[in-house]
Amino acid sequence: MTSLHHLFELQAARTPAAIAVVFKGLLLTYRELNARADSLAAHLVHHGVGPNILVGLCVHRSLEMIIGILGILKAGGAYVPIDPAYPANRIQFIMADAGAPVLVTQRSLAAGLPESNAQQILLDEPLPAQDPPPDAPPRFSGNNLAYVIYTSGSTGLPKGVQIEHQAVINFLDSMRLEPGLKTDDVVLALTTLSFDIAGLEIFLPLTTGARVIVGPREIAVDGEALMKEIDRHGVTLLQATPTTWRLLLASGWAGSPQLKALCGGEPMPADLAQKLIPRCKELWNMYGPTETTIWSTCARVTDPDRITIGRPIANTETLILDPQLQPVAPGESGELFIGGDGLARGYHNRPELTAQRFSQHPFKTGHRLYRTGDLARLTPEGEIDCLGRLDFQVKINGHRIELGEIESALSGHPELIQAVVTAHDGADGDKRLVAYFVAKPNQKPTPKKLRDFAKGLLPQYMVPVAFVRLENIPLTPNGKVDRKALPAPGDDAIASDGRSNPPTTKTELQLAGIWRKVLGHSSLGRDDKFFDLGGTSLLAVSVFVDIEKQFGRHLPLSTLFTAPTIAELAQVIDQTEPAEKSRSSLIPLQPNGTQPRFFCVHGAGGNVFLYLALVHHLGNNFPFYGLHSQGLDGRTHPLQTIEEMAAHYVSEIKRVQPHGPYCLGGYCMGGTIALEMAQQLKAQGEAVSLVALFDTYNFTRARSTSRLLDVAQRLKFHLLNFIRLSPALMNSYVREKIRIARDGEFANIFSFRSRTKPVHGEPMARSALRTIQAINDRAAQMYQPKPYTGRVTLFSPKVNYAKFPGADMGWDGLILGGLDIVQLPINPHAMLVEPTVQFLAAKLAEKLEDVAAQTTENNPAPQTNGVLVSR
């Protein structure tokens, strides 16, 4: 039996240059991911990590998240995912219960984490160099732990489910066949690591050779952003809960014919299946508890009136038994038990609970079964029909919640005698948690006070929406809580401060009216938070539709995370331009880091996707902002001249950086625009530290050559670039060139005239790109560059077209502050594509670091006339 990380290593050896993982434009190949994980693993081994040693993993969604998982596994350890959004008490309990000697985290999170005895390792900082481990490498076994995930516990404390490598490998082997995954697939990973189904989104593609797109946290609650992410990356497999699929549909998703849709975590409603079936390639219903490793059964859904959880996956046994642990007849209901290779080892440090939930197999000596607590029956076709719970466990947006854990937490409030929690249907059909409480004499705990208390102890998804005060909890004749007799919550049960702090401004009053209509609450305060009032992502869609109607502002749903209250959201609305007037061109491709911000202008095709590889190789310490053409969004009008573009882009970058010194650049035509931006900024009295031209010609000085010679040279340069590559990199080079051509940068390579009108029958997106390209080409031809008093850095290939025989590419004499030419060991058209983009990234990083050093010393480099050629 092998290990998870060994399967990944085998795949990395087969396809080292293939892209393994992408996050917000940053990417890692299989080779790079493997190397980064190896480095972390060596560091962890030096800190005592080995087989079955638990390691906490508390990170933001990022490339480092994947590196952390693989590094821990490679060291022999088992990762314990900890959601950074958990309250401090829960994080502290998990770390203490796991006994993890090491916590892998990030600098941005470390200071806010509760104290523990664990050694912290920061993934977003360079790891110190390590000598080879003194001992032999850890011996791996399929019985070693891979991860421990903490789930809700009925006794009031979360419990850690221990999953071994062999259980995950069995699951992956089955999933690879059905529903199925291939090397050319693209998987969008949406799920938080603390939810076990994230394992499918990470391990299945990385052991198959497919690509993982790590979705930012905010797109999981923003249907419009999720829709764009699916289209942008050509996603072919997406796993989500019914709530997320409904959110996507509510945002206007028309479907993706190549998409395989997996739906799980909650029962799949027939009306949802009816909408999804025609919108995707395949729809699958997935079922499985954490204790049996992610999914244990699955079924392809083709008929919305016939939805089951299907049959067990490979090497998995399902039994439907009566209370005496005897099989029930087909069609009769009983409790669903699961056995086989996917069973967890048990619960960490909870042998009594392990014995209670994992029973001996009644018909196979030495085998175990997990009792799911789900009521089920066998259909005549031999499939399993899940009928609901036998206990008080509920599922909300895929999260398994033991109501007893919430009741136990609330009962710890000093003003309460007793608390009972149930789940009610909300305004959008989803479940809502409602708490009923009996207060101590002379105590008057408010819903807001109780909610704040619960938020300090429980994850957000376990905090009740409403709190109902009762004189006594209703009981059945045998003394148990009569949950059916509990009253529906009224408006006064919502944790609102509407009476003491009502909305005041015109925008707040209008916004409160929208919230009242959607949430059904009559009293709202300006500091009330949407999700605290029972709002969901699906309800938020209705809110933002009404905002656009009433205010003319088009805002992403993720705005509710940065501006969750009526007052904060009203301020965003007041400060946002009307949707029809918005002209934003600035895209933060990588906004983090301590180096100077670099603002990079689009090429003639108008978009900034051609810079993604450059951004990746610059790394996480170089903030990189792209500027794309107006008109690409289908709403704004394209700008017609270089001067207009430069003026607009100057106003855009000043929104992020109001004053200089500025670092500007651009590829080809983008370099010309960047130079004009520098002219305009200097005229405004601003300092410009760097103007970087990437393969940018001064077309006013071009020699006249034949079209045939131009095309012949272009083909020659592409061929020379191609034959220099290793066979493994040739495929990725061709794919990258096709992508750039599709995105418009070289859409007119072989056309003998620019096209300013769409071709009949051509897709609108491509027509728009061709129109933008034609406008930009014409603007570049009309532009007459003026002498520039500052210094300019020109990054050029080692050879050039016959029309530009000089190394200065036509700029000598116009750059009065000095022209610094950096020749790269490449041919034209290879500057921004893998693997040769690394030459540009290394040299550009040096220039930006020089700017940072000069700024720190407050001693700018002297400007001298002349040309300096460096290699």
Side-chain angles (χ1 to χ4, degrees):
M1 174 63 70
T2 186
S3 60
L4 279 172
H5 50 280
H6 181 57
L7 292 180
F8 165 73
E9 290 165 349
L10 292 175
Q11 186 58 53
R14 286 192 291 266
T15 56
I19 296 173
V21 58
V22 179
F23 175 74
K24 287 188 174 180
L26 304 175
L27 54 87
L28 290 172
T29 63
Y30 273 85
R31 179 192 292 114
E32 292 167 334
L33 178 56
N34 193 42
R36 295 277 297 273
D38 280 340
S39 177
L40 175 61
H43 197 65
L44 290 170
V45 169
H46 274 272
H47 281 78
V49 176
N52 295 311
I53 298 296
L54 304 191
V55 178
L57 180 62
C58 184
V59 292
H60 291 302
R61 297 187 68 75
S62 57
L63 296 180
E64 286 79 16
M65 179 181 80
I66 309 297
I67 294 167
I69 291 171
L70 291 173
I72 292 169
L73 294 176
K74 280 171 173 276
Y79 67 93
V80 181
I82 301 173
D83 194 324
Y86 280 170
N89 284 355
R90 195 176 188 87
I91 294 176
Q92 197 165 36
F93 171 82
I94 292 174
M95 285 298 295
D97 187 72
V102 176
L103 174 63
V104 177
T105 185
Q106 293 163 313
R107 171 63 65 188
S108 57
L109 291 169
L113 293 173
E115 290 186 6
S116 75
N117 295 325
Q119 173 71 38
Q120 287 189 358
I121 293 179
L122 304 180
L123 275 178
D124 48 357
E125 293 189 357
L127 295 173
Q130 298 283 0
D131 296 328
D135 303 318
R139 296 177 63 85
F140 292 106
S141 163
N143 295 321
N144 288 355
L145 286 179
Y147 60 79
V148 175
I149 285 187
Y150 278 78
T151 67
S152 179
S154 59
T155 60
L157 296 173
K159 53 186 184 291
V161 182
Q162 305 175 107
I163 300 295
E164 299 174 347
H165 281 262
Q166 60 186 1
V168 187
I169 291 170
N170 178 74
F171 165 76
L172 297 177
D173 288 343
S174 186
M175 291 294 106
R176 205 171 286 119
L177 298 175
E178 192 178 68
L181 196 79
K182 298 180 180 178
T183 56
D184 57 354
D185 276 313
V186 179
V187 179
L188 178 55
L190 282 183
T191 312
T192 176
L193 282 187
S194 55
F195 194 177
D196 72 314
I197 67 173
L200 178 144
E201 302 168 345
I202 295 170
F203 296 126
L204 185 58
L206 290 182
T207 57
T208 305
R211 182 178 304 183
V212 181
I213 311 298
V214 178
R217 193 179 191 107
E218 59 269 19
I219 72 167
V221 296
D222 188 336
E224 187 174 344
L226 177 55
M227 182 167 50
K228 290 178 180 177
E229 195 84 348
I230 292 170
D231 292 341
R232 181 183 300 119
H233 294 286
V235 173
T236 60
L237 187 142
L238 175 62
Q239 168 185 257
T241 64
T243 300
T244 302
W245 286 114
R246 287 195 188 279
L247 179 65
L248 190 60
L249 291 168
S251 300
W253 182 58
S256 302
Q258 81 280 9
L259 183 69
K260 193 172 291 185
L262 309 188
C263 185
E266 300 170 29
M268 182 193 294
D271 68 308
L272 178 61
Q274 189 172 24
K275 294 172 184 175
L276 288 176
I277 289 170
R279 284 178 168 83
C280 53
K281 180 180 179 181
E282 294 176 13
L283 174 62
W284 290 78
N285 191 28
M286 317 297 289
Y287 167 86
T290 304
E291 288 84 349
T292 59
T293 309
I294 309 179
W295 303 128
S296 300
T297 71
C298 64
R300 184 175 177 184
V301 180
T302 57
D303 182 354
D305 295 324
R306 186 174 173 271
I307 300 175
T308 70
I309 61 171
R311 294 180 170 86
I313 67 170
N315 302 310
T316 299
E317 181 184 17
T318 56
L319 293 88
I320 301 175
L321 306 178
D322 64 18
Q324 287 72 45
L325 301 186
Q326 294 301 307
V328 300
E332 293 184 2
S333 62
E335 184 174 1
L336 178 62
F337 287 71
I338 299 177
D341 289 355
L343 253 61
R345 181 185 292 183
Y347 299 111
H348 182 65
N349 289 338
R350 303 286 292 277
E352 73 294 338
L353 186 59
T354 300
Q356 178 185 340
R357 302 301 300 183
F358 293 84
S359 60
Q360 292 300 312
H361 198 301
F363 314 116
K364 294 181 181 178
T365 303
H367 290 254
R368 297 182 304 149
L369 294 175
Y370 172 71
R371 55 187 321 153
T372 67
D374 284 326
L375 190 66
R377 66 182 179 88
L378 201 64
T379 69
E381 295 78 20
E383 296 186 344
I384 302 168
D385 192 4
C386 197
L387 305 174
R389 293 294 299 176
L390 288 165
D391 55 20
F392 299 118
Q393 185 189 105
V394 298
K395 282 206 170 184
I396 295 181
N397 198 17
H399 293 285
R400 189 173 78 182
I401 298 172
E402 297 282 359
L403 297 179
E405 182 176 355
I406 308 174
E407 293 171 351
S408 177
L410 289 175
S411 296
H413 193 283
E415 298 179 15
L416 299 190
I417 296 174
Q418 184 181 6
V420 173
V421 179
T422 64
H424 285 255
D425 289 331
D428 57 356
D430 282 351
K431 296 289 185 183
R432 302 284 190 281
L433 293 172
V434 178
Y436 298 85
F437 64 92
V438 177
K440 292 180 179 178
N442 303 319
Q443 299 294 330
K444 297 182 179 179
T446 64
K448 189 174 188 307
K449 183 188 292 186
L450 292 176
R451 180 175 180 83
D452 290 342
F453 177 78
K455 286 171 72 174
L457 300 173
L458 301 167
Q460 179 67 34
Y461 65 85
M462 292 178 68
V463 177
V465 168
F467 294 81
V468 181
R469 179 166 184 161
L470 300 175
E471 292 302 319
N472 295 288
I473 299 294
L475 301 176
T476 63
N478 60 5
K480 294 184 178 180
V481 174
D482 188 355
R483 295 176 185 270
K484 294 180 180 179
L486 292 169
D491 202 45
D492 59 348
I494 306 300
S496 170
D497 61 356
R499 292 181 179 85
S500 60
N501 191 19
T504 55
T505 69
K506 180 181 178 181
T507 303
E508 288 177 3
L509 290 167
Q510 286 181 266
L511 191 55
I514 294 173
W515 284 28
R516 275 195 294 269
K517 183 182 75 171
V518 172
L519 297 172
H521 305 323
S522 59
S523 176
L524 296 174
R526 62 192 308 271
D527 292 329
D528 284 341
K529 294 182 178 180
F530 182 77
F531 293 107
D532 284 357
L533 299 174
T536 64
S537 300
L538 202 55
L539 292 177
V541 173
S542 300
V543 168
F544 279 72
V545 167
D546 284 349
I547 286 174
E548 186 157 8
K549 287 179 182 176
Q550 291 193 30
F551 299 101
R553 308 298 197 267
H554 182 77
L555 303 173
L557 290 184
S558 54
T559 306
L560 274 176
F561 286 90
T562 55
T565 69
I566 287 177
E568 291 168 330
L569 188 54
Q571 189 175 16
V572 171
I573 291 170
D574 288 338
Q575 294 176 353
T576 304
E577 279 190 297
E580 66 274 9
K581 294 183 180 178
S582 175
R583 304 180 65 194
S584 177
S585 289
L586 194 66
I587 299 178
L589 294 175
Q590 202 291 102
N592 303 314
T594 60
Q595 296 294 334
R597 293 185 185 92
F598 185 64
F599 299 97
C600 197
V601 186
H602 59 81
N607 66 65
V608 294
F609 294 127
L610 73 166
Y611 297 126
L612 293 181
L614 174 60
V615 172
H616 164 63
H617 286 291
L618 279 174
N620 293 336
N621 202 31
F622 290 87
F624 195 109
Y625 291 77
L627 288 154
H628 71 76
S629 280
Q630 290 287 284
L632 287 178
D633 58 3
R635 297 182 178 184
T636 52
H637 296 291
L639 302 173
Q640 302 295 316
T641 68
I642 298 293
E643 292 84 354
E644 286 180 350
M645 296 175 196
H648 175 54
Y649 300 156
V650 164
S651 68
E652 289 284 89
I653 68 174
K654 284 195 166 188
R655 292 194 295 110
V656 173
Q657 183 178 327
H659 298 289
Y662 292 98
C663 295
L664 312 171
Y667 173 73
C668 195
M669 173 195 175
T672 304
I673 300 173
L675 183 59
E676 175 61 27
M677 290 171 67
Q679 296 272 26
Q680 295 184 16
L681 284 165
K682 278 184 169 289
Q684 297 172 16
E686 297 287 358
V688 178
S689 296
L690 177 66
V691 179
L693 311 184
F694 306 149
D695 206 2
T696 299
Y697 302 93
N698 177 4
F699 284 98
T700 64
R701 294 185 176 177
R703 293 182 178 182
S704 178
T705 56
S706 69
R707 176 73 175 178
L708 183 61
L709 176 59
D710 291 346
V711 171
Q713 284 194 291
R714 189 180 296 268
L715 289 173
K716 173 187 173 183
F717 291 140
H718 279 304
L719 180 60
L720 288 173
N721 291 332
F722 184 73
I723 63 176
R724 291 179 60 193
L725 302 175
S726 66
L729 290 176
M730 287 181 176
N731 189 35
S732 62
Y733 179 84
V734 171
R735 286 203 310 271
E736 180 69 1
K737 282 297 178 184
I738 292 172
R739 182 190 67 77
I740 291 175
R742 183 190 67 229
D743 288 342
E745 286 304 317
F746 301 111
N748 294 322
I749 286 178
F750 298 110
S751 63
F752 287 88
R753 55 185 180 142
S754 295
R755 286 194 251 175
T756 58
K757 294 181 179 180
V759 178
H760 178 69
E762 189 174 30
M764 282 302 295
R766 189 166 295 171
S767 296
L769 285 171
R770 289 191 181 278
T771 301
I772 295 294
Q773 174 116 18
I775 292 172
N776 287 345
D777 284 342
R778 186 170 60 243
Q781 293 163 9
M782 294 172 60
Y783 179 66
Q784 294 293 321
K786 302 176 288 294
Y788 177 63
T789 58
R791 191 171 187 85
V792 169
T793 300
L794 172 65
F795 296 87
S796 68
K798 63 181 180 181
V799 294
N800 260 316
Y801 284 93
K803 63 174 67 179
F804 290 102
D808 59 47
M809 299 175 76
W811 294 109
D812 188 27
L814 280 172
I815 311 302
L816 305 182
L819 181 65
D820 179 9
I821 300 176
V822 180
Q823 286 190 348
L824 304 176
I826 59 174
N827 297 302
H829 309 300
M831 191 170 289
L832 294 173
V833 297
E834 296 283 11
T836 46
V837 67
Q838 298 177 51
F839 296 117
L840 174 60
K843 293 296 183 181
L844 178 59
E846 290 177 8
K847 295 296 179 183
L848 290 169
E849 288 168 349
D850 289 345
V851 168
Q854 291 166 11
T855 302
T856 302
E857 297 168 7
N858 197 22
N859 182 25
Q863 295 182 346
T864 58
N865 293 331
V867 174
L868 171 66
V869 178
S870 62
R871 291 180 175 81

